[in-house]
Amino acid sequence: MTAARGRGRPRDPETDSAILRAALELFIERGVEGTSIEQIAKRAGVGKLTVYRRWSTKEDLIAQAVEQTVSTDMVPTPGEVRDLAPQDIVERALKTAAETTASPAFRALVARMMGAAVSHPRLMAVYWKHHVLPRRELAAAMLRRAQQEGTVAADADLDVLIDMMAGAVTWRVLQPDPPDAAAMLGYLKSVYRQVGLYRNAD
């Protein structure tokens, strides 16, 4: 969650990107306890005040950095959920989702987030409120439409289905021998097929 902007020059998107990239790198390398606004600013090549003008806490900054990585080309917009068939949304995102979730960086990110849920619950609380809950609402809307179309059981517990989809990926990437992108693609197809969001039988 970004801090409120004051008057002055427009924000530089390149500066924002550099800060977010630095925050993500440091979080993966050192965890939330080993990451500070000062370290993020130094790696991004900006002053601390520049960071604080944009994000009020390191938890807000790290949460947005994580979300930017997770959501790139993977999370549908509200308009897409409204206008497109759920199976089409899933099929369009599968290749990118497989490549992203199979990457070593994503695996390290998941491990850090899982650890932070216990060691630094403030980060998880911020991430959950501002990023996870909106994504879950989109997923629930997509599942409700799939129920109307008859591909998802009418009496299905949508919260459980969402937990199953997210949990399946998390569990799979944390295994000792995680899948590569091709194997992850096949796995994701199987997960979504079981739920009722993937129609192809390949």
Side-chain angles (χ1 to χ4, degrees), residues 24-88:
L24 184 70
E25 291 172 354
L26 285 165
F27 174 60
I28 291 176
E29 291 172 12
R30 307 176 185 180
V32 64
E33 297 88 351
T35 300
S36 69
I37 292 291
E38 183 175 7
Q39 291 167 337
I40 293 169
K42 182 177 180 181
R43 180 166 297 196
V46 300
K48 284 197 299 182
L49 185 57
T50 300
V51 179
Y52 277 119
R53 285 195 186 110
R54 292 160 166 77
W55 293 273
S56 56
T57 69
K58 72 174 180 180
E59 289 85 4
D60 292 333
L61 172 50
I62 292 171
Q64 187 171 340
V66 171
E67 175 63 13
Q68 181 170 286
T69 299
V70 171
S71 290
T72 303
D73 298 326
M74 291 174 58
V75 178
T77 66
E80 289 172 334
V81 171
R82 182 187 65 245
D83 298 333
L84 301 178
Q87 293 85 354
D88 290 338

Side-chain angles (χ1 to χ4, degrees), residues 5 11 20 22 41 57 62 69 72 86-87 91 95 109 125 128 131 133 149 158 163 171 177:
R5 284 182 55 191
R11 278 172 42 171
L20 289 166
T57 69
I62 292 171
T69 299
T72 303
Q87 293 85 354
E91 190 161 1
K95 186 174 184 294
L109 180 58
W128 188 268
H131 302 294
L133 286 181
E149 296 177 358
L158 302 190
D163 287 346
W171 182 253
D177 186 21

Side-chain angles (χ1 to χ4, degrees), residues 5-201:
R5 284 182 55 191
R7 296 177 180 176
R9 294 181 302 174
R11 278 172 42 171
D12 181 0
E14 291 186 5
T15 298
D16 287 3
S17 296
I19 295 170
L20 289 166
R21 185 167 56 251
L24 184 70
E25 291 172 354
L26 285 165
F27 174 60
I28 291 176
E29 291 172 12
R30 307 176 185 180
V32 64
E33 297 88 351
T35 300
S36 69
I37 292 291
E38 183 175 7
Q39 291 167 337
I40 293 169
K42 182 177 180 181
R43 180 166 297 196
V46 300
K48 284 197 299 182
L49 185 57
T50 300
V51 179
Y52 277 119
R53 285 195 186 110
R54 292 160 166 77
W55 293 273
S56 56
T57 69
K58 72 174 180 180
E59 289 85 4
D60 292 333
L61 172 50
I62 292 171
Q64 187 171 340
V66 171
E67 175 63 13
Q68 181 170 286
T69 299
V70 171
S71 290
T72 303
D73 298 326
M74 291 174 58
V75 178
T77 66
E80 289 172 334
V81 171
R82 182 187 65 245
D83 298 333
L84 301 178
Q87 293 85 354
D88 290 338
I89 293 173
V90 168
E91 190 161 1
R92 286 171 53 178
L94 272 174
K95 186 174 184 294
T96 297
E99 291 172 351
T100 298
T101 54
S103 68
F106 183 84
R107 186 172 189 245
L109 180 58
V110 168
R112 283 296 189 191
M113 288 300 292
M114 295 289 284
V118 175
S119 67
H120 205 90
R122 161 71 180 159
L123 172 60
M124 183 55 73
V126 171
Y127 185 62
W128 188 268
K129 177 180 179 181
H130 296 289
H131 302 294
V132 175
L133 286 181
R135 287 212 310 271
R136 288 180 70 92
E137 290 169 3
L138 285 173
M142 189 167 64
L143 287 166
R144 283 193 294 271
R145 182 163 179 187
Q147 284 179 318
Q148 295 170 358
E149 296 177 358
T151 60
V152 170
D155 60 349
D157 186 318
L158 302 190
D159 279 334
V160 171
L161 290 184
I162 294 168
D163 287 346
M164 287 170 56
M165 290 186 288
V169 173
T170 300
W171 182 253
R172 185 54 58 107
V173 302
L174 292 179
Q175 291 181 358
D177 186 21
D180 60 15
M184 181 59 81
L185 179 60
Y187 180 70
L188 290 176
K189 288 179 179 180
S190 181
V191 169
Y192 288 122
R193 187 181 298 115
Q194 296 301 316
V195 172
L197 291 177
Y198 185 70
R199 66 167 70 92
N200 291 353

